[in-house]
Amino acid sequence: MAMLSYQPPLKSLTIPPVSLSNPKPVLFRCSLSLPSRTAVTSVEPQPVFSSVKAFAPATVANLGPGFDFLGCAVDGLGDYVSLSVDSNVHPGEVAISDITGNNTNKLSKNPLYNCAGIAAIEVMKMLGIRSVGLSLSLEKGLPLGSGLGSSAASAAAAAIAVNGLFGGKLGVEELVLAGLKSEEKVSGYHADNVAPAIMGGFILIRNYEPLELIRLKFPVEKELFFVLVSPEFEAPTKKMRAALPAEVGMPHHVWNSSQAGALVAAVLQGDTMGLGKALSSDKIVEPRRSPLIPGMDGVKKAAIAAGAFGCTISGAGPTAVAVIDNEEKGKEIGERMVMAFLKEGNLKATASVKRLDRVGARLIGSTPLDRVL
């Protein structure tokens, strides 16, 4: 049997909106392979606000057969970052003043070891900020190790906040690279969480060196709901990645490639049923990870039996994600999945039904710059 060795993605960006009405992708190409401490702007910008607050949504990575190259943003769940100019912080540096929300005791306030801090520092380096210091507060709306892009949401919110504070000088491609620097240090160099967290919608990572991202437009007139069921169980990304096969047989490679292609086509066509079918069809990653999440196989079967178009593991797990085109039906499916986690895995779980987030990370508040300063 022919075998393919798995190689982790190389580092390095291109981004297009793609739809049936606009079949030619528009790639936002970043030729920066940014090393640390490289400034993108030639002149240091000054803050245009004294403080800002940013939000970044949860994300579903992989979407079944799209391991490390497909992801989407989910509405209504995410992390918040508040950022302010602080004369007590050394110029050119960022200090984390407060962390609230989920699992705060597990997160470091040292910005060099915090997802939000790392991304904030990277954006400051890109902007060449040397004359002011920043104070950052992180509000965790997402639990750690949930499979919903918790680290990416923190990084995306911080990147957007720093960029917004200084007038939005950087483009989306640089912000994704800053988020990737954070992801690299925490869970690996993969953009299928941080890219949709920043950009919103469905994102295809076409290449990692240089980084090329393609925006896949799900038709606005079509209904799509994600049923997210999160058990009381933590699945660290590094541990779940360690379970992946070192080699992939050619038949499984061909199968997953065809299913990933079908999934992309379903997104562009607004075919929720086809999306669900492809999402459920991974033969490479899900079979290795599912046994590590108690009850996951039973949860998937329960979702399909309840009428879901498809179900898989969200990211590295343990959250299970199902898709449907009706919110009320989604709530019924979620209840069945919660019951299955308890019955098959002896795990309590919570369910929510969410729409696609088409916007991505954004500023949600700002305070005018103090004219006295």
Side-chain angles (χ1 to χ4, degrees), residues 280-364:
S280 292
S281 301
D282 174 29
K283 288 187 177 182
I284 297 175
V285 176
E286 184 182 314
R288 292 298 189 99
R289 287 177 166 175
S290 188
L292 302 179
I293 305 171
M296 180 58 74
D297 286 340
V299 170
K300 182 173 183 175
K301 292 176 182 177
I304 301 299
F309 294 153
C311 179
T312 190
I313 302 169
S314 177
T319 294
V321 56
V323 294
I324 194 67
D325 60 359
N326 180 278
E327 186 173 12
E328 290 305 314
K329 184 65 175 178
K331 293 178 181 178
E332 296 177 14
I333 294 168
E335 291 175 1
R336 298 286 187 88
M337 293 169 71
V338 168
M339 292 171 60
F341 259 127
L342 187 59
K343 179 181 178 181
E344 304 291 339
N346 197 31
L347 293 176
K348 293 181 180 179
T350 57
S352 60
V353 181
K354 301 296 181 181
R355 294 180 183 270
L356 179 70
D357 185 309
R358 298 174 183 269
V359 180
R362 59 266 196 186
L363 291 184
I364 59 173

Side-chain angles (χ1 to χ4, degrees), residues 228-272:
L228 303 169
V229 180
S230 301
E232 294 181 356
F233 181 81
E234 188 171 330
T237 301
K238 288 186 177 180
K239 175 183 177 181
M240 300 302 279
R241 291 182 81 86
L244 302 180
E247 295 182 328
V248 176
M250 184 61 74
H252 283 176
H253 163 67
V254 173
W255 170 263
N256 264 43
S257 296
S258 66
Q259 297 309 305
L263 193 149
V264 169
V267 169
L268 298 178
Q269 295 169 353
D271 178 6
T272 312

Side-chain angles (χ1 to χ4, degrees), residues 49 51 53 57-58 68 90 102 179 251 321 360:
F49 300 108
S51 66
K53 186 173 184 179
D68 270 6
H90 191 276
N102 287 297
V321 56

Side-chain angles (χ1 to χ4, degrees), residues 215-226:
R215 191 193 305 273
L216 307 174
K217 294 182 66 176
F218 188 86
V220 294
E221 68 274 11
K222 298 285 188 174
E223 293 282 16
L224 172 62
F225 293 93
F226 298 92

Side-chain angles (χ1 to χ4, degrees), residues 15 20 38 47 77-78 120 150 175 202 221 252 294 333 347 349 351 355:
I15 316 176
L20 293 181
T38 296
L77 301 170
S150 176
L175 297 178
F202 286 91
E221 68 274 11
H252 283 176
I333 294 168
L347 293 176
R355 294 180 183 270

